[in-house]
Amino acid sequence: MARRVLFIDEKEMKRHFPKEIILETTNYCNLKCRFCHFHSSNEISVRSKGHMKESLWQKVLDELKERQQTAVLCLHGAGEPLLYPKLKKLIKEAKKNPLLQVGFMTNGMLLTPDWSDFLLDEGIDWLAFSVDGVRPETNDFFRRGASLKKVEENIFYLIEAKEKQHLKIPVLSFNMVAYPEIEDQADEYARKWLPYSSYVSISSFRPVGSKKLFKEDDDHPDFSPCPLLYSQLVISWDGKAGLCCEDIFVDVLLGNVQKKDIMHIFNSDIMQNFRMKHEQGCKDALPLCRECEVWASSKVIEEKEIIFNRQRVHYQKTYSGEFYRPILAERTGG
């Protein structure tokens, strides 16, 4: 039997589809974190605030369904998703597509028991919590408007309800920013949240507006193209698609999903030019990338196995921070 030969257009082979889609449901926030790149008093630019129209996110969901493409769908952006009036409806619709891993990042202040019950009932796939440290006096100082006591009450309600129902999802993760004043809490923070999470991260502190990761004494790795250009699409509340999650103010406009589909936007001439410049090692010619070191965020500096609370944990240090991941669910005798 003759073997069938498929002739594939070379341009088609170079087309990409995002593995992660960030839908900024809202960019309003209930907190004014001191070093937030968007909501702090030190913000370096402005962008109009609003809530995403239902017709916009429905268009995105329809396209994802039509393409039958697996993707991580993130329902957050520069704001707090739990402020979005139609979040429940969006989650219900998104969860109809089994190829999507649906979740969002939250500060936890608005995660009431009713919200937790809803998320568990709907089978939300993942939740990421931003909590800075283990002491109220420091968390509440950096995260202005937050109460660590309230946040922990909300999170532990969710954890206990999940355990009572013997649910595997949502998968939880926790992130703390390593401000100089709370760096000494990192170890205690990891120990506290690891028993309930898929990973705990301690993110390197970056001043407002900074995209730098390297310290003066770091051995800088060889440059490689930024993986975000091939994997991530960020859609703001008004439909504008920015270059990546570092393009907080949508300075590099790829298009608008109200007018064009995701595939077209993600493979636009602008995006292809950014990829080409990165592949050529010429990122300094690009305005947003010139001062950015996020391309190196996942490059490993150190990794080892450690024991936390009698649990085996994989520790990894990268240029963006430190990560703790449980190796086994059961406890060890070490």
Side-chain angles (χ1 to χ4, degrees):
M1 181 177 179
R3 186 175 183 180
R4 186 182 179 192
V5 179
L6 297 177
F7 294 95
I8 302 175
D9 185 271
E10 186 176 344
K11 290 184 179 179
E12 185 65 27
M13 291 176 65
K14 293 182 179 180
R15 286 163 67 84
H16 302 273
F17 196 84
K19 297 180 178 66
E20 178 183 71
I21 297 172
I22 297 178
L23 276 182
E24 184 184 62
T25 49
T26 182
N27 58 0
Y28 285 106
C29 192
N30 55 322
L31 303 184
K32 294 287 184 182
C33 298
R34 294 179 183 274
F35 290 98
C36 176
H37 294 243
F38 195 83
H39 292 283
S40 76
S41 58
N42 300 317
E43 67 179 59
I44 58 175
S45 182
V46 293
R47 176 159 63 90
S48 60
K49 294 182 174 66
H51 298 308
M52 182 173 283
K53 292 181 179 179
E54 180 179 338
S55 60
L56 198 156
W57 56 253
Q58 188 63 64
K59 182 177 183 291
V60 172
L61 294 183
D62 289 344
E63 183 177 348
L64 291 172
K65 181 181 179 180
E66 183 179 345
R67 288 196 61 84
Q68 288 294 294
Q69 194 91 23
T70 59
V72 176
L73 186 63
C74 309
L75 306 180
H76 59 254
E80 168 54 51
L82 292 172
L83 287 172
Y84 181 51
K86 295 187 176 182
L87 185 60
K88 288 185 177 181
K89 187 172 185 180
L90 169 51
I91 290 172
K92 283 178 175 287
E93 289 299 313
K95 285 298 299 176
K96 292 178 181 178
N97 186 343
L99 297 179
L100 298 182
Q101 294 183 32
V102 184
F104 57 87
M105 184 182 298
T106 175
N107 59 51
M109 279 292 292
L110 304 177
L111 188 69
T112 62
D114 286 344
W115 259 114
S116 288
D117 292 340
F118 169 82
L119 294 173
L120 294 176
D121 289 344
E122 294 301 319
I124 196 83
D125 295 286
W126 58 272
L127 290 171
F129 293 100
S130 296
V131 183
D132 289 330
V134 295
R135 299 167 196 161
E137 61 271 21
T138 51
N139 177 86
D140 300 355
F141 171 80
F142 286 110
R143 304 183 70 77
R144 289 190 294 182
S147 163
L148 182 61
K149 181 177 182 294
K150 180 63 176 176
V151 169
E152 290 185 346
E153 286 177 358
N154 292 342
I155 293 174
F156 278 114
Y157 177 89
L158 173 73
I159 290 171
E160 291 168 7
K162 175 185 170 184
E163 291 179 346
K164 284 179 181 178
Q165 298 179 54
H166 306 288
L167 299 174
K168 294 183 178 180
I169 57 173
V171 173
L172 308 181
S173 64
F174 295 82
N175 180 74
M176 164 187 142
V177 178
Y179 300 114
E181 295 86 348
I182 63 173
E183 279 184 310
D184 61 342
Q185 298 181 37
D187 190 76
E188 187 178 353
Y189 184 89
R191 290 179 183 276
K192 178 170 187 171
W193 295 116
L194 265 175
Y196 315 106
S197 63
S198 61
Y199 72 89
V200 170
S201 56
I202 311 296
S203 297
S204 301
F205 167 61
R206 291 189 283 156
V208 174
S210 173
K211 297 178 178 64
K212 298 287 188 181
L213 294 179
F214 304 144
K215 298 177 182 178
E216 291 184 8
D217 56 347
D218 280 342
D219 292 327
H220 295 192
D222 293 334
F223 174 75
S224 59
C226 183
L228 295 180
L229 298 177
Y230 303 86
S231 62
Q232 184 187 81
L233 180 65
V234 180
I235 303 170
S236 63
W237 69 269
D238 54 1
K240 294 177 181 177
L243 184 67
C244 65
C245 57
E246 294 296 322
D247 190 6
I248 299 170
F249 302 106
V250 195
D251 294 319
V252 180
L253 179 61
L254 301 178
N256 195 307
V257 296
Q258 296 184 89
K259 301 176 181 179
K260 297 179 180 180
D261 60 40
I262 291 172
M263 178 63 86
H264 184 96
I265 290 172
F266 201 57
N267 293 280
S268 63
D269 290 343
I270 297 173
M271 183 61 107
Q272 297 289 32
N273 179 60
F274 269 78
R275 291 175 185 142
M276 180 183 69
K277 292 295 185 185
H278 272 245
E279 290 165 8
Q280 293 173 343
C282 301
K283 80 174 184 72
D284 289 349
L286 302 167
L288 191 70
C289 302
R290 187 178 300 118
E291 301 298 324
C292 184
E293 295 169 348
V294 173
W295 58 268
S297 59
S298 62
K299 293 186 180 293
V300 177
I301 300 172
E302 176 189 4
E303 60 183 337
K304 58 187 177 181
E305 182 179 316
I306 58 178
I307 302 296
F308 261 8
N309 300 338
R310 303 179 66 190
Q311 184 177 18
R312 292 173 59 219
V313 173
H314 180 252
Y315 167 84
Q316 190 177 73
K317 182 177 182 180
T318 70
Y319 287 98
S320 62
E322 299 173 275
F323 296 84
Y324 301 80
R325 300 178 187 273
I327 294 175
L328 297 172
E330 68 267 19
R331 300 294 186 260
T332 70

